[in-house]
Amino acid sequence: MYLYNSATHKKELFTPNSPEMVKMYTCGPTVYHFAHIGNLRTYIMEDVLEKTLRYMGYPVKRVMNITDVGHLASDADTGEDKMLKGAKRENKSVMEIAQYYTDAFFADCDKLNIKKPDVIEPATGCIPEFIQIVEGLLEKGFAYVAGGNVYFDTSKLERYYVFNDHDEEDLAIGVREGVEEDTNKRNKNDFVLWFTKSKFEDQALKWDSPWGVGYPGWHIECSGISLKHLGGDLDIHCGGIDNAFPHHTNEIAQSESYLGHKWCNYWFHVHHLNTDTGKMSKSKGEFLTVSLLEQKGYDPMAYRLFCLQSHYRRNLVFSWENLDNAVVAYDKLIAKIAALQNTGDVDMEAFQALKDRFVNALNADLNTAVAVTAVYDVLKAKTNDATKLAALKDFDQVLSLNLLEAAQKLQKKQVEEAAASADPEIDALVAARTEAKKAKNFAEADRIRDELKARGIEIIDTPQGTKWRKV
Ligand code: AMP
Ligand code: ZN
């Protein structure tokens, strides 16, 4: 499988350190508010990546953090803790907010068929591990204490900007937002590993440390949680593109300095979901959630299809019109699948040819847009329905669009609707008309048609026989 690696700026053949286990880390949500559908685009694409790896036969161990402390309003370590902001907004405690929005996040993931990671770890559960890394960095001379905080010293690195093929403007957004200069920093890009002093003294959660009572910086959380559960040889690290700088850049700086060797081989970044006014973001306050889509009558599966129809390394523009198009596409797809009959044997040769197209699309840097067209290829293929259904079931292990389940539901609905509108008297009249036509008694056939019409019944002659419906 070829994947674009942000660290090398190239598409590379994905080769895990060990075929026994792909070690995958994904930055989790900051649980001070609902996840918006932009965040969820990133989690959908990461879900597809994990499922693709499993589909290709790799066992995967996937770890995700829950950021429940230390993520300040600006990614450049200034401003108030986002969790505290959430707690104040809702007049609740930080831990109440964390629990509520963590549950809401996984409920949204469930609706979008995003699998739960194997390990989910809140940052507040790993404080001793973070302290140990910070101590190690101080011992090795990669960190310093200033003004009560511990900082990472970026001047000690040969290379700090590892993802510098990204648009500098894009990279700078998180840093610029509400930036205030921190005079403790020796270098512009130095970042906080441990806070004991911040302008916001009302920080709710604090822990004892060798440097005083305080709390961890945001970046150390992901390094610490990843090292704890996946060790020092990570295969693949994922996140949204806004995480590339400074978050992931800082994760690499501190993890590799602590370990003394290369840490992670592949970096997978999902580009943004934008609206016509720019990036969808929680801090702007106005954003769309899965629940809101549902309230408006949208099936979350249509949103998942909308995301899959575009490549993860392109910005995706959300508009209601675009989502409506995805709804139409999804409904048509399901109706076509519902019309398939599961009879006959699977033609293994035809199945393999269809599967090859699907696999090739995923192998080409997770091209889900082409993988979705492979679904349409199945429906158009010159093979029996059993083979088509087998291929669709197989593909849906990765796509997770409920293809067969939704089709079965539709079939059931169609049967129920037909039963609800059954009427033996009308059936008898329709049969009598068919007989009259067969006997070339067209006058009688027309009379029956007119009678039915007067009773509000429309006759439809199809190759499968005559059907009727109430108009
Ligand atoms: P947060 O909860 O803010 O820490 O973000 C959770 C994930 O969503 C991170 O991986 C972000 O990079 C990603 N993300 C944030 N905004 C967007 C967006 N508009 N489109 C796609 N991903 C995003
Ligand atoms: Zn992270």
Side-chain angles (χ1 to χ4, degrees), residues 1-4 45 48-49 51-53 55-56 268 308 311-312 355-372 374 394-395 397-399:
M1 178 184 193
Y2 278 84
L3 270 185
Y4 182 82
M45 300 320 290
V48 172
L49 173 63
K51 286 174 179 164
T52 299
L53 290 169
Y55 181 77
M56 307 282 185
F268 176 88
L308 297 186
H311 193 257
Y312 75 92
K355 187 176 168 103
D356 285 349
R357 279 184 226 170
F358 183 68
V359 169
N360 288 344
L362 296 172
N363 276 343
D365 192 21
L366 208 70
N367 197 332
T368 53
V370 176
V372 168
D394 184 68
F395 297 3
Q397 292 174 74
V398 173
L399 301 175

Short mmCIF file of all heavy atoms in Angstrom, two decimals, residues 1-4 45 48-49 51-53 55-56 268 308 311-312 355-372 374 394-395 397-399:
data_model
loop_
_atom_site.label_atom_id
_atom_site.label_comp_id
_atom_site.label_asym_id
_atom_site.label_seq_id
_atom_site.Cartn_x
_atom_site.Cartn_y
_atom_site.Cartn_z
N MET A 1 0.84 -1.19 0.00
CA MET A 1 0.00 0.00 0.00
C MET A 1 0.89 1.25 0.00
O MET A 1 1.79 1.36 0.85
CB MET A 1 -0.85 -0.02 1.28
CG MET A 1 -1.74 1.19 1.42
SD MET A 1 -2.59 1.12 3.01
CE MET A 1 -3.78 2.38 2.75
N TYR A 2 0.61 2.15 -0.95
CA TYR A 2 1.36 3.41 -0.98
C TYR A 2 0.60 4.48 -0.21
O TYR A 2 -0.60 4.65 -0.40
CB TYR A 2 1.59 3.86 -2.43
CG TYR A 2 2.78 3.16 -3.04
CD1 TYR A 2 2.65 1.90 -3.60
CD2 TYR A 2 4.05 3.74 -3.01
CE1 TYR A 2 3.74 1.22 -4.12
CE2 TYR A 2 5.14 3.08 -3.53
CZ TYR A 2 4.99 1.82 -4.09
OH TYR A 2 6.08 1.17 -4.59
N LEU A 3 1.31 5.15 0.65
CA LEU A 3 0.71 6.22 1.45
C LEU A 3 1.59 7.45 1.39
O LEU A 3 2.83 7.32 1.42
CB LEU A 3 0.63 5.80 2.92
CG LEU A 3 -0.60 5.07 3.44
CD1 LEU A 3 -0.46 4.89 4.94
CD2 LEU A 3 -1.89 5.82 3.12
N TYR A 4 0.98 8.61 1.34
CA TYR A 4 1.76 9.84 1.39
C TYR A 4 2.24 10.02 2.83
O TYR A 4 1.45 9.98 3.78
CB TYR A 4 0.91 11.03 0.97
CG TYR A 4 1.70 12.33 0.97
CD1 TYR A 4 2.50 12.67 -0.11
CD2 TYR A 4 1.65 13.19 2.06
CE1 TYR A 4 3.23 13.84 -0.11
CE2 TYR A 4 2.39 14.36 2.07
CZ TYR A 4 3.19 14.68 0.99
OH TYR A 4 3.92 15.83 0.99
N MET A 45 -11.63 9.40 8.03
CA MET A 45 -10.54 8.98 7.15
C MET A 45 -9.52 8.12 7.90
O MET A 45 -8.95 7.18 7.34
CB MET A 45 -9.86 10.19 6.49
CG MET A 45 -10.78 11.04 5.63
SD MET A 45 -11.98 10.18 4.59
CE MET A 45 -10.92 9.43 3.38
N VAL A 48 -10.99 4.73 8.03
CA VAL A 48 -10.82 4.03 6.76
C VAL A 48 -9.38 3.50 6.66
O VAL A 48 -9.15 2.37 6.21
CB VAL A 48 -11.14 4.95 5.56
CG1 VAL A 48 -10.78 4.29 4.24
CG2 VAL A 48 -12.61 5.33 5.57
N LEU A 49 -8.42 4.29 7.12
CA LEU A 49 -7.02 3.84 7.08
C LEU A 49 -6.86 2.59 7.95
O LEU A 49 -6.28 1.60 7.52
CB LEU A 49 -6.10 4.97 7.56
CG LEU A 49 -4.63 4.57 7.71
CD1 LEU A 49 -4.02 4.17 6.37
CD2 LEU A 49 -3.80 5.71 8.32
N LYS A 51 -9.11 0.45 8.93
CA LYS A 51 -9.84 -0.70 8.37
C LYS A 51 -9.15 -1.23 7.12
O LYS A 51 -9.18 -2.43 6.86
CB LYS A 51 -11.29 -0.32 8.11
CG LYS A 51 -12.08 -0.21 9.41
CD LYS A 51 -13.48 0.30 9.21
CE LYS A 51 -14.22 0.35 10.54
NZ LYS A 51 -15.44 1.17 10.48
N THR A 52 -8.54 -0.32 6.35
CA THR A 52 -7.81 -0.77 5.16
C THR A 52 -6.63 -1.64 5.58
O THR A 52 -6.38 -2.70 5.00
CB THR A 52 -7.31 0.44 4.34
OG1 THR A 52 -8.46 1.19 3.93
CG2 THR A 52 -6.53 0.02 3.11
N LEU A 53 -5.90 -1.20 6.59
CA LEU A 53 -4.74 -1.98 7.06
C LEU A 53 -5.21 -3.37 7.52
O LEU A 53 -4.60 -4.38 7.18
CB LEU A 53 -4.02 -1.25 8.19
CG LEU A 53 -3.27 0.03 7.77
CD1 LEU A 53 -2.82 0.82 8.98
CD2 LEU A 53 -2.07 -0.30 6.88
N TYR A 55 -7.94 -4.89 6.55
CA TYR A 55 -8.43 -5.57 5.33
C TYR A 55 -7.26 -6.18 4.55
O TYR A 55 -7.37 -7.24 3.96
CB TYR A 55 -9.16 -4.52 4.50
CG TYR A 55 -9.80 -4.95 3.21
CD1 TYR A 55 -11.00 -5.65 3.20
CD2 TYR A 55 -9.22 -4.62 1.99
CE1 TYR A 55 -11.61 -6.00 2.00
CE2 TYR A 55 -9.81 -4.96 0.79
CZ TYR A 55 -11.01 -5.66 0.79
OH TYR A 55 -11.60 -6.00 -0.38
N MET A 56 -6.11 -5.47 4.58
CA MET A 56 -4.91 -5.96 3.88
C MET A 56 -4.22 -7.07 4.68
O MET A 56 -3.18 -7.57 4.28
CB MET A 56 -3.90 -4.83 3.65
CG MET A 56 -4.43 -3.60 2.97
SD MET A 56 -4.60 -3.83 1.21
CE MET A 56 -5.11 -2.20 0.69
N PHE A 268 0.36 10.69 8.76
CA PHE A 268 -0.84 10.72 7.91
C PHE A 268 -1.69 11.91 8.34
O PHE A 268 -2.16 11.96 9.48
CB PHE A 268 -1.58 9.40 8.15
CG PHE A 268 -2.90 9.25 7.44
CD1 PHE A 268 -2.97 8.74 6.15
CD2 PHE A 268 -4.09 9.58 8.09
CE1 PHE A 268 -4.19 8.57 5.51
CE2 PHE A 268 -5.32 9.41 7.46
CZ PHE A 268 -5.36 8.90 6.17
N LEU A 308 -16.02 10.17 1.90
CA LEU A 308 -15.29 9.16 1.14
C LEU A 308 -15.16 9.53 -0.33
O LEU A 308 -14.23 9.10 -1.01
CB LEU A 308 -15.98 7.79 1.25
CG LEU A 308 -16.07 7.17 2.64
CD1 LEU A 308 -16.63 5.76 2.56
CD2 LEU A 308 -14.71 7.12 3.32
N HIS A 311 -10.66 12.86 -1.78
CA HIS A 311 -9.39 12.35 -1.27
C HIS A 311 -9.01 13.06 0.03
O HIS A 311 -9.25 14.26 0.17
CB HIS A 311 -8.28 12.55 -2.33
CG HIS A 311 -7.06 11.77 -2.00
ND1 HIS A 311 -5.94 12.36 -1.48
CD2 HIS A 311 -6.80 10.45 -2.08
CE1 HIS A 311 -5.03 11.41 -1.25
NE2 HIS A 311 -5.53 10.25 -1.62
N TYR A 312 -8.43 12.31 0.96
CA TYR A 312 -8.15 12.90 2.29
C TYR A 312 -7.12 14.03 2.24
O TYR A 312 -7.03 14.82 3.17
CB TYR A 312 -7.71 11.81 3.28
CG TYR A 312 -6.29 11.31 3.08
CD1 TYR A 312 -5.22 11.88 3.76
CD2 TYR A 312 -6.01 10.27 2.20
CE1 TYR A 312 -3.92 11.44 3.57
CE2 TYR A 312 -4.72 9.82 2.00
CZ TYR A 312 -3.68 10.41 2.69
OH TYR A 312 -2.39 9.97 2.49
N LYS A 355 -12.68 -7.00 -6.81
CA LYS A 355 -11.91 -6.69 -5.60
C LYS A 355 -10.58 -6.03 -5.96
O LYS A 355 -10.14 -5.11 -5.27
CB LYS A 355 -11.68 -8.00 -4.82
CG LYS A 355 -11.03 -7.80 -3.46
CD LYS A 355 -10.94 -9.14 -2.73
CE LYS A 355 -10.04 -9.01 -1.52
NZ LYS A 355 -10.73 -8.93 -0.26
N ASP A 356 -9.97 -6.48 -7.04
CA ASP A 356 -8.67 -5.90 -7.45
C ASP A 356 -8.80 -4.39 -7.66
O ASP A 356 -7.93 -3.63 -7.27
CB ASP A 356 -8.17 -6.56 -8.73
CG ASP A 356 -7.62 -7.96 -8.46
OD1 ASP A 356 -7.45 -8.30 -7.27
OD2 ASP A 356 -7.39 -8.71 -9.43
N ARG A 357 -9.90 -3.99 -8.30
CA ARG A 357 -10.08 -2.55 -8.55
C ARG A 357 -10.18 -1.78 -7.24
O ARG A 357 -9.62 -0.70 -7.08
CB ARG A 357 -11.37 -2.31 -9.34
CG ARG A 357 -11.19 -2.55 -10.81
CD ARG A 357 -12.46 -2.21 -11.54
NE ARG A 357 -12.75 -3.27 -12.47
CZ ARG A 357 -13.86 -3.40 -13.15
NH1 ARG A 357 -14.84 -2.53 -12.98
NH2 ARG A 357 -14.03 -4.36 -14.00
N PHE A 358 -10.91 -2.37 -6.32
CA PHE A 358 -11.10 -1.73 -5.01
C PHE A 358 -9.77 -1.64 -4.26
O PHE A 358 -9.38 -0.57 -3.77
CB PHE A 358 -12.11 -2.58 -4.22
CG PHE A 358 -12.48 -2.03 -2.88
CD1 PHE A 358 -13.20 -0.86 -2.76
CD2 PHE A 358 -12.11 -2.70 -1.71
CE1 PHE A 358 -13.56 -0.36 -1.51
CE2 PHE A 358 -12.46 -2.20 -0.47
CZ PHE A 358 -13.18 -1.03 -0.37
N VAL A 359 -9.05 -2.74 -4.25
CA VAL A 359 -7.76 -2.78 -3.53
C VAL A 359 -6.77 -1.81 -4.17
O VAL A 359 -6.05 -1.09 -3.47
CB VAL A 359 -7.21 -4.23 -3.51
CG1 VAL A 359 -5.77 -4.26 -3.01
CG2 VAL A 359 -8.09 -5.10 -2.62
N ASN A 360 -6.75 -1.77 -5.49
CA ASN A 360 -5.82 -0.85 -6.18
C ASN A 360 -6.09 0.60 -5.79
O ASN A 360 -5.16 1.39 -5.63
CB ASN A 360 -5.93 -0.99 -7.70
CG ASN A 360 -5.32 -2.30 -8.16
OD1 ASN A 360 -4.58 -2.94 -7.41
ND2 ASN A 360 -5.66 -2.73 -9.38
N ALA A 361 -7.36 0.93 -5.65
CA ALA A 361 -7.71 2.31 -5.27
C ALA A 361 -7.18 2.62 -3.87
O ALA A 361 -6.59 3.67 -3.63
CB ALA A 361 -9.22 2.50 -5.32
N LEU A 362 -7.36 1.70 -2.95
CA LEU A 362 -6.90 1.93 -1.57
C LEU A 362 -5.38 1.95 -1.52
O LEU A 362 -4.78 2.73 -0.76
CB LEU A 362 -7.45 0.86 -0.64
CG LEU A 362 -8.98 0.85 -0.48
CD1 LEU A 362 -9.43 -0.36 0.31
CD2 LEU A 362 -9.47 2.13 0.19
N ASN A 363 -4.77 1.10 -2.33
CA ASN A 363 -3.30 1.04 -2.34
C ASN A 363 -2.68 2.33 -2.87
O ASN A 363 -1.52 2.62 -2.60
CB ASN A 363 -2.84 -0.12 -3.23
CG ASN A 363 -2.82 -1.41 -2.45
OD1 ASN A 363 -2.85 -1.39 -1.21
ND2 ASN A 363 -2.80 -2.53 -3.14
N ALA A 364 -3.44 3.08 -3.65
CA ALA A 364 -2.92 4.32 -4.22
C ALA A 364 -3.22 5.47 -3.27
O ALA A 364 -4.12 6.28 -3.50
CB ALA A 364 -3.54 4.57 -5.59
N ASP A 365 -2.50 5.51 -2.16
CA ASP A 365 -2.63 6.58 -1.17
C ASP A 365 -4.08 6.75 -0.71
O ASP A 365 -4.61 7.86 -0.67
CB ASP A 365 -2.08 7.90 -1.75
CG ASP A 365 -1.93 8.96 -0.67
OD1 ASP A 365 -1.86 8.59 0.51
OD2 ASP A 365 -1.89 10.16 -1.02
N LEU A 366 -4.70 5.62 -0.39
CA LEU A 366 -6.05 5.60 0.18
C LEU A 366 -7.03 6.45 -0.65
O LEU A 366 -7.66 7.37 -0.13
CB LEU A 366 -6.00 6.12 1.62
CG LEU A 366 -7.07 5.58 2.55
CD1 LEU A 366 -6.82 4.10 2.86
CD2 LEU A 366 -7.11 6.33 3.87
N ASN A 367 -7.10 6.09 -1.93
CA ASN A 367 -7.97 6.87 -2.80
C ASN A 367 -9.42 6.40 -2.65
O ASN A 367 -9.93 5.58 -3.43
CB ASN A 367 -7.50 6.78 -4.25
CG ASN A 367 -8.12 7.89 -5.07
OD1 ASN A 367 -9.22 8.35 -4.76
ND2 ASN A 367 -7.43 8.32 -6.10
N THR A 368 -10.09 6.92 -1.65
CA THR A 368 -11.45 6.46 -1.35
C THR A 368 -12.43 6.88 -2.44
O THR A 368 -13.43 6.22 -2.65
CB THR A 368 -11.93 7.00 0.01
OG1 THR A 368 -11.75 8.42 0.02
CG2 THR A 368 -11.18 6.36 1.15
N ALA A 369 -12.11 8.00 -3.13
CA ALA A 369 -13.02 8.45 -4.20
C ALA A 369 -13.09 7.37 -5.28
O ALA A 369 -14.17 7.02 -5.75
CB ALA A 369 -12.53 9.77 -4.78
N VAL A 370 -11.94 6.81 -5.63
CA VAL A 370 -11.92 5.74 -6.64
C VAL A 370 -12.49 4.45 -6.04
O VAL A 370 -13.18 3.69 -6.72
CB VAL A 370 -10.49 5.55 -7.21
CG1 VAL A 370 -10.45 4.38 -8.18
CG2 VAL A 370 -10.02 6.83 -7.89
N ALA A 371 -12.23 4.22 -4.76
CA ALA A 371 -12.78 3.02 -4.11
C ALA A 371 -14.31 3.04 -4.16
O ALA A 371 -14.96 2.01 -4.34
CB ALA A 371 -12.29 2.92 -2.67
N VAL A 372 -14.89 4.24 -4.03
CA VAL A 372 -16.36 4.35 -4.12
C VAL A 372 -16.82 4.05 -5.55
O VAL A 372 -17.84 3.39 -5.74
CB VAL A 372 -16.84 5.75 -3.64
CG1 VAL A 372 -18.29 5.98 -4.01
CG2 VAL A 372 -16.65 5.90 -2.13
N ALA A 374 -15.50 1.97 -7.41
CA ALA A 374 -15.42 0.50 -7.54
C ALA A 374 -16.75 -0.14 -7.10
O ALA A 374 -17.10 -1.22 -7.57
CB ALA A 374 -14.26 -0.05 -6.72
N ASP A 394 -17.81 -7.39 1.03
CA ASP A 394 -16.36 -7.35 1.25
C ASP A 394 -15.86 -5.89 1.33
O ASP A 394 -15.15 -5.52 2.26
CB ASP A 394 -15.70 -8.08 0.07
CG ASP A 394 -14.20 -8.18 0.22
OD1 ASP A 394 -13.76 -8.90 1.12
OD2 ASP A 394 -13.47 -7.51 -0.55
N PHE A 395 -16.27 -5.06 0.40
CA PHE A 395 -15.80 -3.66 0.36
C PHE A 395 -16.28 -2.89 1.60
O PHE A 395 -15.60 -1.99 2.08
CB PHE A 395 -16.34 -2.91 -0.87
CG PHE A 395 -15.89 -3.44 -2.21
CD1 PHE A 395 -15.10 -4.58 -2.32
CD2 PHE A 395 -16.28 -2.79 -3.38
CE1 PHE A 395 -14.71 -5.05 -3.56
CE2 PHE A 395 -15.89 -3.26 -4.62
CZ PHE A 395 -15.11 -4.39 -4.71
N GLN A 397 -16.40 -3.72 4.52
CA GLN A 397 -15.54 -3.88 5.70
C GLN A 397 -14.68 -2.64 5.88
O GLN A 397 -14.29 -2.28 6.97
CB GLN A 397 -14.61 -5.08 5.53
CG GLN A 397 -15.31 -6.41 5.52
CD GLN A 397 -14.30 -7.50 5.21
OE1 GLN A 397 -13.48 -7.87 6.04
NE2 GLN A 397 -14.35 -8.02 4.01
N VAL A 398 -14.37 -1.99 4.76
CA VAL A 398 -13.54 -0.77 4.80
C VAL A 398 -14.42 0.48 4.73
O VAL A 398 -14.26 1.41 5.52
CB VAL A 398 -12.54 -0.75 3.62
CG1 VAL A 398 -11.80 0.57 3.56
CG2 VAL A 398 -11.57 -1.91 3.74
N LEU A 399 -15.37 0.49 3.81
CA LEU A 399 -16.16 1.71 3.59
C LEU A 399 -17.12 1.96 4.75
O LEU A 399 -17.41 3.12 5.08
CB LEU A 399 -16.95 1.60 2.28
CG LEU A 399 -16.11 1.38 1.02
CD1 LEU A 399 -17.02 1.18 -0.18
CD2 LEU A 399 -15.15 2.55 0.78
#
